[in-house]
Amino acid sequence: MIPLKHLSSHQPHSSPSLSWNGRYLAVIIQRGGKRMAVITDRLSGQIHPLSLPGNKYPIRISLSPDARQLAMELTGKGTSRIELFNLQTIIEPDEPIGIRGSTSLNQSQ
């Protein structure tokens, strides 16, 4: 088990998804009465909340292996749909080990 101290105050969590090397964790958190999707950078400890269109709420998320995109099922006003989010302006890619610029995280962090 890997502790994520910076997420402990935003419980419960659901739909976790990791990037290739485990640098990024996409997760749905509960903040007050509102569900939010966030990306947490395990290397820096930063949390990046994602802005959602309109009065939509996240149901499930799936992070691409390199963390460049996120697929999210959203619901609102009785409808549900899947949207893709480009994360390249928010976070740097998590390249597979051996690719220039990659940073791996071990299980002890």
Side-chain angles (χ1 to χ4, degrees), residues 29-79:
I29 63 170
Q30 188 82 24
R31 185 177 284 171
K34 187 175 179 184
R35 292 171 54 92
M36 301 178 58
V38 299
I39 305 290
T40 182
D41 183 339
R42 293 182 49 233
L43 187 62
S44 70
Q46 287 186 306
I47 295 177
H48 304 276
L50 300 174
S51 297
L52 301 179
N55 289 328
K56 306 261 187 244
Y57 299 98
I59 301 296
R60 282 188 294 258
I61 56 178
S62 180
L63 185 62
S64 67
D66 61 6
R68 292 175 195 236
Q69 291 186 327
L70 180 79
M72 188 178 327
E73 181 181 2
L74 299 170
T75 188
K77 296 185 181 179
T79 63

Side-chain angles (χ1 to χ4, degrees), residues 10-26:
H10 305 294
Q11 293 188 24
H13 310 115
S14 63
S15 195
S17 184
L18 280 171
S19 61
W20 260 315
N21 298 313
R23 176 175 178 178
Y24 298 108
L25 170 67

